[in-house]
Amino acid sequence: MAGFTMELSEEQKEVRDWLHGFAAGVIRPAAAEWDEREETPWPVIQEAAKVGIYSLDFYAQQYFDPTGLGIPMAMEELFWGDAGIALSIVGTGLAAVGVLANGTEEQIGTWVPQMYGDVNDVKVAAFCSSEPDAGSDVASMRTRAVYDEARDEWVLDGTKTWATNGGIADVHVVVAVVDPELGSKGHASFIVPPGTPGLSQGQKFRKHGIRASHTAEVVLDGVRVPGSCLLGGKEKLDERLARAREKAEKGGERLKNAAMATFEASRPAVGAMAVGTARAAYEVALDYARTREQFGRPIIDNQGVAFQLADMRTAVDAARLLVWRASWMAVNGRPFTAAEGSMSKLFASETAKKVTAQAIQILGGNGYTREYPVERMHRDAAIYTIFEGTSEIQRLVIARTLAGMPIR
Ligand SMILES: Cc1cc2nc3c(=O)[nH]c(=O)nc-3n(C[C@H](O)[C@H](O)[C@H](O)COP(=O)(O)OP(=O)(O)OC[C@H]3O[C@@H](n4cnc5c(N)ncnc54)[C@H](O)[C@@H]3O)c2cc1C
């Protein structure tokens, strides 16, 4: 029996090629328009829903691929098409994962399908954790959730920021503080159902890149949700809080630090998005270098250009391998003893920034204009070193893991 293979199965190749077809035929041609409009590309999301790419079924199938490569392959292909549009398509999945990770079976069955709506009436969902004063330092979150026992309701108050799909989503997943003494251990996640009074969109951000993806503040003013909207249920929360209080009393646990390890398993997916953008820019640059002639020969005939392309391709492939390793580890329950999830996100996101800048250089003046896509890809790539934990936070997690220090 072969113990190791880099060969994708026929089924995986089929899915990859199908996604690539959609990315090349539908997403890429729409990219420049939605980047300029800075609006959610509803018609493209609807197209994705029609063919089955924007759906819970598709996401779940990729999520449960036993090799772990389903999600990274899907992310790479969609983000190869365009990062802003692709984030509009997969943003709901980030909220769905919040429910899948913490919700009961009943909550998953009730809320996750609603997040997507149906083919004729697509909906999006938002995951709201970050706040104006709680970005990397998640433990300093202030949004409060207070239990009203008489009515079996939770009351949420606070301001969330940077929420992808915030305010335009039907279902919002909101992380809030239930016990301020416990730092990030005192947080819990809540579903805010569509149309709940007190939830409103604050400012919508005008961004440097991924402009087709909607990013906004979400204001929660006396938002009341039923007890059943606490993800995981009250009993589980009470048990968890009791354990955390016990540990805090013993003084053995660091409670005030950032919840930096929380996303270790989801970070390779963001790494895969970055690989998609980097590969897209590399391909445009390769094509251009082969056809653009100066001094009577294609510019790729100059080692100065060809070596850049060699470095770009090497970095893209190395990033993908780190992403695939971490994704395989996550799905097979291997412990991230060297923070391999963070490693993959760090390397892939830095690669995307660098490779897209190199692509602009290879296209010369054309690379600097909106006539060619690498300028947009470079603006888009800058997000990867910021969201889901900045590059500095990834390095911190890796370094602390290697040193055997507590991460959260
Ligand atoms: C387009 C976009 C979409 C987003 N989508 C979502 C979403 O859907 N839901 C959500 O909850 N959040 C979302 N975010 C928020 C994102 O996760 C945060 O922006 C990110 O975690 C960084 O937080 P911050 O912006 O407050 O930066 P800060 O934490 O203020 O960091 C500022 C700088 O300081 C550095 N820094 C901070 N602490 C340390 C340290 N200890 N050591 C070294 N350097 C440090 C950082 O690396 C960074 O360079 C999104 C952000 C953007 C821009």
Side-chain angles (χ1 to χ4, degrees):
M1 191 181 78
F4 181 74
T5 177
M6 298 286 292
E7 198 65 57
L8 298 177
S9 68
E10 285 310 310
E11 202 182 322
Q12 283 173 323
K13 284 185 202 162
E14 256 173 46
V15 173
R16 183 197 56 192
D17 295 347
W18 171 61
L19 289 167
H20 188 75
F22 186 80
V26 181
I27 298 181
R28 184 71 70 83
E33 179 192 340
W34 293 99
D35 173 56
E36 288 299 335
R37 286 173 67 163
E38 294 196 49
E39 283 168 14
T40 301
W42 290 107
V44 187
I45 300 176
Q46 181 138 21
E47 279 302 303
K50 269 191 205 150
V51 298
I53 291 173
Y54 186 71
S55 75
L56 173 59
D57 273 2
F58 172 72
Y59 207 78
Q61 254 171 32
Q62 302 317 310
Y63 194 76
F64 291 112
D65 176 343
T67 65
L69 300 189
I71 291 287
M73 268 184 2
M75 296 296 171
E76 180 177 335
E77 293 310 324
L78 296 174
F79 281 72
W80 174 92
D82 177 64
I85 293 178
L87 190 61
S88 294
I89 293 172
V90 308
T92 297
L94 305 178
V97 167
V99 178
L100 291 170
N102 300 307
T104 61
E105 270 181 31
E106 201 185 335
Q107 288 170 329
I108 294 169
T110 306
W111 297 110
V112 179
Q114 281 200 46
M115 290 180 167
Y116 288 88
D118 62 60
V119 180
N120 297 317
D121 187 17
V122 288
K123 307 285 185 201
V124 293
F127 178 75
C128 312
S129 171
S130 302
E131 294 181 5
D133 293 323
S136 303
D137 185 8
V138 181
S140 63
M141 183 181 291
R142 288 202 206 128
T143 295
R144 276 302 304 261
V146 176
Y147 189 51
D148 177 348
E149 201 161 357
R151 292 168 65 172
D152 183 28
E153 284 177 348
W154 286 90
V155 187
L156 307 179
D157 280 287
T159 301
K160 294 292 176 185
T161 194
W162 306 124
T164 299
N165 296 336
I168 61 165
D170 253 43
V171 177
H172 289 77
V173 177
V174 174
V175 187
V177 178
V178 288
D179 185 337
E181 299 295 306
L182 295 174
S184 61
K185 305 260 184 216
H187 296 174
S189 299
F190 298 85
I191 293 282
V192 181
T196 305
L199 184 147
S200 60
Q201 184 184 306
Q203 74 160 309
K204 175 187 169 181
F205 295 103
R206 300 197 64 209
K207 305 194 298 295
H208 177 62
I210 54 163
R211 299 197 300 179
S213 170
H214 171 102
T215 316
E217 285 179 337
V218 172
V219 180
L220 302 143
D221 182 10
V223 170
R224 286 187 164 266
V225 297
S228 59
C229 285
L230 164 66
L231 289 177
K234 182 93 169 46
E235 205 175 307
K236 215 167 136 200
L237 172 71
D238 288 341
E239 280 169 26
R240 182 160 66 77
L241 294 178
R243 273 199 309 275
R245 282 186 200 111
E246 205 178 304
K247 280 189 181 159
E249 274 159 26
K250 285 185 192 151
E253 195 87 345
R254 265 178 90 134
L255 292 171
K256 291 282 176 196
N257 217 329
M260 294 173 197
T262 319
F263 300 111
E264 191 66 14
S266 65
R267 281 178 176 152
V270 180
M273 299 173 187
V275 171
T277 300
R279 188 184 114 212
Y282 154 76
E283 286 176 8
V284 173
L286 177 65
D287 213 39
Y288 192 87
R290 278 181 176 149
T291 49
R292 168 72 176 167
E293 291 194 6
Q294 285 295 276
F295 302 101
R297 58 182 187 179
I299 58 169
I300 200 169
D301 281 0
N302 301 290
Q303 228 175 37
V305 173
F307 276 17
Q308 278 196 69
L309 286 159
D311 285 347
M312 289 158 76
R313 175 62 189 265
T314 304
V316 170
D317 283 14
R320 183 185 301 107
L321 287 175
L322 283 176
V323 165
W324 282 14
R325 177 180 71 166
S327 306
W328 175 86
M329 288 175 75
V331 87
N332 287 292
R334 297 288 198 279
F336 287 112
T337 51
E340 289 88 344
S342 292
M343 237 187 239
S344 71
K345 198 258 178 187
L346 170 64
F347 188 78
S349 56
E350 293 291 341
T351 293
K353 255 169 82 166
K354 191 167 168 198
V355 165
T356 52
Q358 286 170 307
I360 291 181
Q361 191 64 22
I362 290 173
L363 269 71
N366 280 333
Y368 200 62
T369 69
R370 295 197 180 177
E371 299 300 310
Y372 285 78
V374 291
E375 171 271 346
R376 184 181 67 250
M377 291 167 183
H378 184 49
R379 284 187 286 110
D380 292 344
I383 191 56
Y384 301 123
T385 60
I386 295 172
F387 69 8
E388 283 278 311
T390 64
S391 282
E392 291 71 29
I393 295 302
Q394 311 301 330
R395 290 190 180 97
L396 215 128
V397 171
I398 298 164
R400 286 190 181 168
T401 307
L402 297 181
M405 289 161 70
I407 293 167
R408 56 173 176 153

